[in-house]
């Protein structure tokens, strides 16, 4: 039987239980990212506080984990074509959000540059040739600072069905090996040659992220997400390795804070910790920290009520993310030009952070109102119902009485 994207959404939303802990985690990460994007002194508390990795690695991995989990679940219940269609539909939604965000920034640069002179550095290439920049943006080739994240998610959303299709044919070992090989090639900085060769093209601004390297983090997240449904350990002796992972994470954490208080260690400035090319020690640091965090993440469910502002942000991640980028552009326009100084800058950033849960709360109310206005859908075949209770062996979680349980989205 063939299903459309709308049919799949109805089936998935019928009985699906959200992972509240992931919503909370994404909400916290988004607020940290907003601070990192600001020219505020608050950045010292949010810029890589847990090791030599940033919120970017966390966002990409968590999104890939959820994308892998949902793709496999859809493929098992509705078929591969329905899962692929849903992933492509999601890519289109992120693409539209990217264009809205860019349009906001371009309007500011075109008509309010005198009031917001700080955004000149963000949009310098656009200001030199606006029409070329607009054309490049439509093709995802023009990615100004702060607006280079969503294009990466668009491309990775298309990568998801390709990875699952290849895994069906050749197995996940082959897919992971190819992805790892691409990451190895990326460590030679081959992308930098492409950037240098295209620097004179007015419609190209690729941004700092090396997608050839970051795809490895995405494919790894896809694999772990779909593996999660099997309720199997990723490693043969996980209990024996947990103390090693904990010790390694603490060692990286201690090393990071020593470099903050005493000045950066020269080795941390090398390619081994490079962010944009996802250096090997940076990747290892994130992997061990993620494994330790996963052990305690499930306990966030016990604090669902007090953490609800963060879970609402995570639930409505895409629109809240775009709104925070737009507000960050406004703040940079005022602060980096010297028009605003500390502590006023930090106060403005705190006000920006408060807009995130307020906007998420508004989106939640609107979503609930829309659902209440809809007629009740006719009962669907029980064999097509998809519940997250099925994803956790031996557990039968009950939906929250206070929080709506819609379909989980990767971003």
């Amino acid at each position: 039987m063939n299903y459309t994207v709308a049919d799949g959404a109805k089936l998935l939303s019928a009985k699906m239980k959200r992972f509240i802990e992931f919503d909370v985690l994404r909400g916290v990460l988004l607020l940290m990212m907003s601070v990192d994007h600001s020219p505020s002194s608050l950045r010292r508390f949010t810029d890589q506080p847990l090791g030599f990795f940033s919120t970017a690695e966390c966002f990409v991995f968590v999104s890939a984990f959820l994308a892998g989990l949902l793709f496999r679940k859809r493929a098992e219940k509705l078929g591969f074509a329905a899962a692929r269609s849903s992933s492509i539909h999601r890519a289109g939604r992120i693409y539209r959000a990217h264009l809205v965000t860019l349009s906001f920034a371009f309007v500011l640069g075109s008509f309010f540059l005198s009031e917001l002179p700080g955004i000149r550095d963000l949009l310098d290439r656009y200001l030199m040739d606006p029409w070329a920049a607009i054309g490049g943006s439509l093709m995802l080739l023009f990615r100004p600072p702060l607006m280079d994240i969503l294009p990466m998610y668009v491309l990775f959303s298309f990568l998801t069905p390709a990875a699952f299709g290849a895994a069906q044919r050749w197995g996940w070992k082959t897919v992971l090996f190819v992805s790892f090989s691409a990451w190895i090639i990326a460590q030679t900085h081959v992308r930098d040659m492409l950037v240098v060769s295209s620097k004179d093209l007015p419609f190209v601004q690729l941004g700092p992220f090396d997608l050839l390297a970051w795809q490895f983090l995405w494919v790894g997240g896809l694999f772990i997400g779909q593996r999660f449904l099997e309720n199997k350990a990723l490693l043969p002796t996980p209990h024996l390795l947990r103390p090693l992972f904990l010790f390694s994470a603490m060692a990286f954490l201690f090393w990071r804070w020593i470099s903050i208080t005493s000045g950066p260690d020269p080795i941390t400035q090398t390619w081994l910790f490079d962010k944009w090319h996802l250096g090997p020690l940076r990747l290892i640091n994130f992997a061990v920290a993620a494994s330790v965090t996963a052990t305690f993440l499930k306990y966030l469910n016990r604090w669902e009520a007090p953490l609800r502002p963060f879970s609402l942000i995570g639930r409505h991640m895409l629109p809240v993310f775009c709104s925070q980028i737009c507000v960050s552009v406004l703040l940079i326009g005022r602060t980096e030009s010297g028009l605003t100084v500390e502590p006023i800058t930090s106060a403005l950033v705190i006000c920006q952070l408060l807009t995130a849960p307020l906007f998420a709360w508004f989106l939640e109310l609107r979503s609930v109102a829309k659902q209440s206005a809809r007629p009740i859908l006719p009962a669907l075949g029980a064999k097509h119902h998809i519940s997250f209770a099925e994803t956790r062996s031996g557990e039968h979680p009950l939906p929250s009485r206070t929080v709506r349980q819609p379909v989980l989205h990767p971003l």
Side-chain angles (χ1 to χ4, degrees):
M1 183 180 297
N2 294 327
Y3 291 90
T4 64
V5 173
D7 295 330
K10 293 175 184 177
L11 290 171
L12 285 168
S13 62
K15 295 176 64 178
M16 182 170 283
K17 177 72 168 67
R18 292 188 69 93
F19 287 117
I20 300 299
E21 57 267 35
F22 284 110
D23 284 336
V24 172
L25 177 61
R26 294 194 296 175
V28 172
L29 291 173
L30 178 57
L31 296 180
M32 292 177 62
M33 180 213 69
S34 299
V35 177
D36 289 340
H37 287 168
S38 71
S40 165
S41 58
L42 295 175
R43 293 178 60 181
R44 71 184 67 174
F45 302 107
T46 60
D47 184 20
Q48 303 185 155
L50 301 179
F52 297 96
F53 60 91
S54 66
T55 55
E57 289 89 341
C58 302
F59 265 125
V60 170
F61 178 79
V62 172
S63 297
F65 175 90
L66 297 175
L69 185 150
L70 291 175
F71 192 99
R72 176 167 178 176
K73 199 64 181 175
R74 286 190 178 101
E76 290 178 349
K77 296 295 182 178
L78 308 176
F80 184 87
R84 179 181 57 202
S85 179
S86 177
S87 183
I88 295 175
H89 177 76
R90 185 65 180 169
R93 188 178 175 209
I94 299 173
Y95 177 74
R96 292 191 296 271
H98 170 62
L99 294 184
V100 170
T101 308
L102 270 179
S103 298
F104 177 83
F106 289 167
V107 168
L108 290 182
S110 299
F111 301 104
F112 300 97
L113 190 60
S114 59
E115 292 82 4
L116 303 167
I119 63 175
R120 185 179 294 275
D121 291 336
L122 288 178
L123 302 176
D124 57 338
R125 298 287 297 274
Y126 166 77
L127 296 173
M128 292 187 329
D129 194 338
W131 289 111
I134 292 173
S137 300
L138 295 175
M139 297 182 291
L140 300 180
L141 295 175
F142 191 84
R143 313 168 200 161
L146 302 188
M147 287 156 278
D148 53 353
I149 300 176
L150 291 182
M152 179 167 62
Y153 279 100
V154 173
L155 297 175
F156 286 167
S157 294
F158 285 112
L159 175 62
T160 298
F164 272 89
Q168 281 187 348
R169 185 170 184 178
W170 296 294
W172 276 105
K173 289 183 179 180
T174 301
V175 173
L176 291 172
F177 175 77
V178 171
S179 179
F180 177 74
S181 300
W183 175 81
I184 291 290
I185 295 174
Q187 301 312 301
T188 64
H189 293 199
V190 64
R191 175 187 178 275
D192 294 346
M193 295 184 289
L194 177 62
V195 172
V196 171
S197 63
S198 62
K199 66 178 181 179
D200 295 327
L201 299 176
F203 59 89
V204 176
Q205 185 178 8
L206 297 179
F209 288 97
D210 186 347
L211 300 186
L212 199 61
W214 282 74
Q215 57 76 32
F216 181 51
L217 187 60
W218 183 268
V219 172
L222 292 178
F223 170 73
I224 295 175
Q226 63 86 32
R227 179 85 169 180
F228 181 80
L229 293 176
E230 300 177 2
N231 199 28
K232 295 180 180 179
L234 294 176
L235 298 173
T237 54
H239 295 289
L240 298 178
L241 291 177
R242 284 177 184 172
L244 177 61
F245 287 163
L246 178 61
F247 174 80
S248 300
M250 293 179 62
F252 275 117
L253 177 62
F254 182 74
W255 190 1
R256 168 60 181 160
W257 280 98
I258 287 295
S259 68
I260 293 177
T261 57
S262 305
D265 189 327
I267 194 174
T268 63
Q269 306 299 308
T270 64
W271 67 278
L272 295 172
F273 286 94
D274 186 83
K275 174 180 179 178
W276 310 122
H277 300 286
L278 210 59
L281 286 183
R282 189 181 190 91
L283 195 59
I284 292 173
N285 185 185
F286 172 75
V288 296
S291 66
V292 173
T293 302
T295 305
F296 304 99
L297 197 60
K298 58 184 178 182
Y299 297 109
L300 290 178
N301 282 326
R302 301 178 181 179
W303 302 89
E304 180 179 336
L307 294 176
R308 190 162 188 250
F310 300 105
S311 66
L312 285 178
I313 295 173
R315 178 169 307 151
H316 302 283
M317 174 59 64
L318 184 57
V320 177
F321 179 90
C322 293
S323 69
Q324 288 296 295
I325 292 294
C326 292
V327 176
S328 293
V329 172
L330 283 172
L331 288 181
I332 290 174
R334 295 292 297 178
T335 56
E336 287 203 344
S337 58
L339 298 177
T340 309
V341 295
E342 292 287 6
I344 298 178
T345 300
S346 294
L348 290 175
V349 172
I350 292 174
C351 292
Q352 173 189 357
L353 299 181
L354 293 177
T355 65
L358 291 176
F359 186 43
W361 177 69
F362 166 75
L363 293 173
E364 180 75 2
L365 290 180
R366 190 181 68 168
S367 180
V368 171
K370 285 184 177 180
Q371 280 199 340
S372 300
R374 291 175 183 171
I376 299 177
L377 293 173
L380 298 171
K383 65 179 181 178
H384 294 309
H385 285 176
I386 298 177
S387 170
F388 264 133
E390 302 175 26
T391 66
R392 298 188 179 193
S393 178
E395 296 184 17
H396 301 281
L398 296 176
S400 169
R401 295 181 179 179
T402 59
V403 180
R404 183 177 57 88
Q405 306 292 335
V407 176
L408 199 70
H409 289 302
L411 178 63

